[in-house]
Amino acid sequence: MPSVLFSAALFTLSLLFTLYGYLTLDFFDVLGRPGAAFFPVSIGALLIIFCGLNTAKEMRALNDQPTKEKPKTYSADALKVALLVLYFLISLNILGVILSMYSFVAIFLYLFNKNGNKLTNILFGLLLPAGIYILFGIILNTELPRGIIFGG
């Protein structure tokens, strides 16, 4: 039951995050390019989809379980992910999007893929943030947080 509640809470927070970004930030700048809301609303939409799917899966699993069997919980992992996302959101304005993404992915892979191939972790850790930056920062020309360190 706690995992269903946690999934539902994440789904609700995803909705609120997306709505907040949509209502408080400009989706397009004066030149018609994607504005400050584009990145959070895009990420928020993905969060809504995946958290909604996860909540539905958790509810189905709860209904399918025999009443005597104790469900497997991942509370510690869920807490780690929540704290890591909080770190990412706070670090965006301090470190900027590039350093925040690299540190987020590195910490995430360290915590959750310790037994994985080290080369794969390194490549994923380098290429995913670079790809996201190229897509949003260069191709879509979206204004991304530069952080205090880089004069943002």
Side-chain angles (χ1 to χ4, degrees):
M1 183 64 149
S3 60
V4 172
L5 295 176
F6 183 76
S7 294
L10 283 180
F11 178 73
T12 303
L13 289 172
S14 300
L15 285 170
L16 293 173
F17 171 77
T18 306
L19 188 62
Y20 176 78
Y22 182 76
L23 295 175
T24 61
L25 301 171
D26 295 325
F27 207 78
F28 294 100
D29 66 8
V30 292
L31 300 175
R33 299 178 305 183
F38 191 82
F39 185 69
V41 170
S42 300
I43 297 300
L46 291 172
L47 281 170
I48 289 170
I49 292 167
F50 291 120
C51 288
L53 290 171
N54 189 57
T55 302
K57 178 183 168 192
E58 292 286 344
M59 291 173 76
R60 232 178 327 189
L62 186 64
N63 291 335
D64 293 343
Q65 282 183 350
T67 55
K68 292 181 183 180
E69 184 180 321
K70 186 176 179 182
K72 195 173 182 183
T73 62
Y74 299 96
S75 302
D77 288 344
L79 180 62
K80 288 177 191 176
V81 170
L83 291 173
L84 193 53
V85 169
L86 181 64
Y87 157 77
F88 179 70
L89 293 174
I90 292 170
S91 71
L92 272 174
N93 290 325
I94 298 168
L95 301 175
V97 73
I98 295 171
L99 291 177
S100 292
M101 281 194 295
Y102 277 119
S103 62
F104 175 85
V105 172
I107 295 168
F108 189 91
L109 290 173
Y110 175 77
L111 291 174
F112 295 105
N113 199 19
K114 291 180 181 181
N115 298 327
N117 183 328
K118 300 291 184 216
L119 180 60
T120 303
N121 281 354
I122 291 169
L123 286 174
F124 190 79
L126 292 174
L127 295 177
L128 179 69
I132 291 171
Y133 178 77
I134 289 168
L135 174 65
F136 285 101
I138 297 173
I139 295 173
L140 295 173
N141 201 18
T142 305
E143 190 173 323
L144 298 171
R146 292 185 357 208
I148 294 171
I149 295 173
F150 298 105

